[in-house]
Structures are given as structure tokens and as C-alpha cells.
Amino acid sequence: MLILNSKIEKTPVMGLQTGSQLATIGAPIIDPANLQIIAYVLENNTYSNDQMLLRIAEIREFSRIGFIVDSGEDFILEDDVIKIKEILDLNFNILGMKVIDEKNNNLGKVADFTFSLVNFAVQQLVVKRPLLKSFNTSELMIHRNQIVAIDDEKITVKSETEAKPIKRVEETDNFVPNYVNPFRD
């Protein structure tokens, strides 16, 4: 199932042991190498006063009441996992990144994204178009397969396919259709 990131913001994190809300979901931590969400920053954390994170591996279930974890003991600090610390040090934030195509045309900026609840991989980018291009379409949906490169400032996607001229078929005098028209008199 695909879900918009904006629909997940401020979602409660519920503890299975206590049955109470432990925190709310904040910003996602995304690995730019594979566009995989590896953790979430927690807000309104009742378990600790420190800035805590929730690893995706610790989420037992996502239901109508929120993300369900065993307990607040599943929360980690930024320095607890080396891989997460390395990605945090990159300061990668997909929201607001410039999106261009291979021909260096500005397509807009990432306003939101969808991800799969199965593996927490970013599937589509919602790109808000620049003002002049927004008259035709205000947003673009770009699938992850169209992404060519990601760097510190921008995301490069495949260019639109070029329109090929349509060849006209020459009409011939001896054209014989290979069907019978039932409405012909």
C-alpha cells in the first residue's frame, strides 16, 4: 500500500506494553543511496527528554491508531546506530529538493512523496511546478524508476521522450479492407 508522507506526519507511536501514546512521528530519515526510509525522528516523546529516533525495524504494525511498537525502549539516540548517524551527517532532506531533467530543465521542487508501507521505500515524488509551468499542471508525479541521479542540491530524472513524427500512410486506389462493414448498404 502506498501512502503520502504528509499523511504520516504527527501520527501517534503507541506502546504495546502500556497501550498509551509514547510519541508522534516527525521527519523521516531517508537513505539517499536507495531512497529507503530507515528511521523517523520522534516528536512529543514521553519516554525521554533526549532527541530520539524510531527505526523502521522496530515498528510492529501500522494501524488506524498509529504506529505500534513494543515499548519506548525501542527508541534510539542519534549516535546509537552508525549507519543512521552517517545518514544524519549527510543532512539529506528530500522535501524541498530541486528536480531537473537530463536536459537541465527545471521541473520544480519536491513537495511530498509516497512510500510503500511494506518496505518503507520512496516510490513516487510529488513535484510542485514553478510558477510559469504551473499553469498547465501544478504538480508532477515522478516514479522512482525515472530518477537518474541524486546529489546534494538536486534530483535528476529522465527527460520526456521526444515526439517522433508520424508517417502518413499513402492511400492506394486498390485498397481492400480485411473486414466486412455490416452497416454498408
Side-chain angles (χ1 to χ4, degrees):
M1 181 168 114
L2 295 181
I3 191 161
L4 274 171
N5 178 63
S6 58
K7 299 292 182 187
I8 292 292
E9 292 173 359
K10 309 290 185 212
T11 298
V13 178
M14 307 296 290
L16 193 59
Q17 289 179 350
T18 61
S20 62
Q21 181 174 330
L22 303 173
T24 56
I25 291 294
I29 299 170
I30 300 173
D31 185 350
N34 58 11
L35 291 182
Q36 192 89 18
I37 300 172
I38 58 171
Y40 280 100
V41 176
L42 295 175
E43 298 174 352
N44 306 321
N45 182 2
T46 60
Y47 186 75
S48 172
N49 291 332
D50 296 325
Q51 178 68 44
M52 305 283 297
L53 307 174
L54 174 62
R55 291 181 37 226
I56 296 304
E58 303 300 335
I59 298 172
R60 292 184 122 229
E61 181 182 344
F62 177 67
S63 71
R64 59 180 170 72
I65 61 172
F67 287 106
I68 298 173
V69 297
D70 286 332
S71 70
E73 293 175 4
D74 292 336
F75 301 163
I76 61 170
L77 295 169
E78 293 178 359
D79 296 331
D80 286 350
V81 178
I82 294 171
K83 177 72 175 174
I84 292 176
K85 178 65 175 154
E86 289 173 354
I87 292 173
L88 283 171
D89 289 344
L90 292 175
N91 201 23
F92 177 75
N93 185 3
I94 198 167
L95 298 175
M97 284 192 81
K98 183 178 179 179
V99 179
I100 63 169
D101 66 8
E102 292 172 312
K103 296 177 183 174
N104 211 20
N105 295 320
N106 182 19
L107 300 178
K109 292 188 177 189
V110 178
D112 204 352
F113 60 88
T114 63
F115 66 93
S116 169
L117 284 173
V118 174
N119 60 4
F120 285 84
V122 174
Q123 296 296 316
Q124 298 170 325
L125 303 177
V126 179
V127 178
K128 183 150 178 65
R129 304 283 282 162
L131 181 63
L132 293 176
K133 293 182 181 179
S134 67
F135 292 121
N136 293 341
T137 55
S138 62
E139 291 181 340
L140 293 176
M141 292 291 285
I142 298 175
H143 193 270
R144 70 181 288 128
N145 292 340
Q146 294 174 281
I147 297 173
V148 176
I150 299 174
D151 62 30
D152 293 339
E153 295 120 23
K154 66 189 176 307
I155 298 173
T156 306
V157 298
K158 292 179 183 174
S159 298
E160 293 180 10
T161 57
E162 295 179 13
K164 295 181 181 177
I166 300 172
K167 295 180 183 177
R168 290 196 64 91
V169 176
E170 297 294 325
E171 292 186 27
T172 58
D173 293 334
N174 57 0
F175 173 73
V176 179
N178 47 353
Y179 64 91
V180 176
N181 187 345
F183 302 106
R184 190 173 210 183
D185 291 338

